Amino acid sequence: MTPRVDMVGFVTADLRASLAFYRRLGIDVPVDSEGPHVEATLPGGVRVAWDTEELMRSLAPEWTPPTGSPRMVLAFHCGTPAGVDALYGELTSERPSAAERPPWDAPWGQRYAVVRDPDGIPVDLFAPLTAPSGEAPATEPPPVS
């Protein structure tokens, strides 16, 4: 048998906030879902799961939340450059601490922005870049604040 990705899991300090955030990004998490473990299946069959920190500690008492820079990010296709801008604006107006990098035209041909989920995990928002004629796209992202 060849292994295949079946599930991506999150450990969260605030299950409700995390589920609301990812619902806003289009993950169809059942509204009646409650912890300490919640799952949703994406189109194509891959599952996304959330576990509370309390559940993790009950399974492995030595578990502690990670520190330092993340080793993974999630990226969500927003359809259009305007979709990136709009979703970034919505997410950061609802929760200003979500702001990581405002939208910019990336040199690899995409409109890009970065927000943080309620647990600080970076989430990329992107869409193919459609630059207005005569305007060159920016080549550097805005500085990290």
Side-chain angles (χ1 to χ4, degrees), residues 30-84:
V31 272
D32 61 348
S33 296
E34 295 194 24
H37 176 86
V38 173
E39 289 187 18
T41 302
L42 302 175
V46 174
R47 295 174 298 144
V48 179
W50 292 262
D51 293 309
T52 63
E53 290 181 352
E54 292 79 15
L55 175 63
M56 292 306 295
R57 282 190 208 75
S58 76
L59 299 172
E62 71 282 359
W63 182 86
T64 59
T67 60
S69 297
R71 293 181 180 258
M72 71 169 258
V73 297
L74 298 172
F76 287 80
H77 193 302
C78 297
T80 65
V84 172

Side-chain angles (χ1 to χ4, degrees), residues 80-99:
T80 65
V84 172
D85 295 354
L87 186 54
Y88 180 88
E90 289 173 29
L91 293 171
T92 58
S93 69
E94 291 168 6
R95 196 172 50 82
S97 62

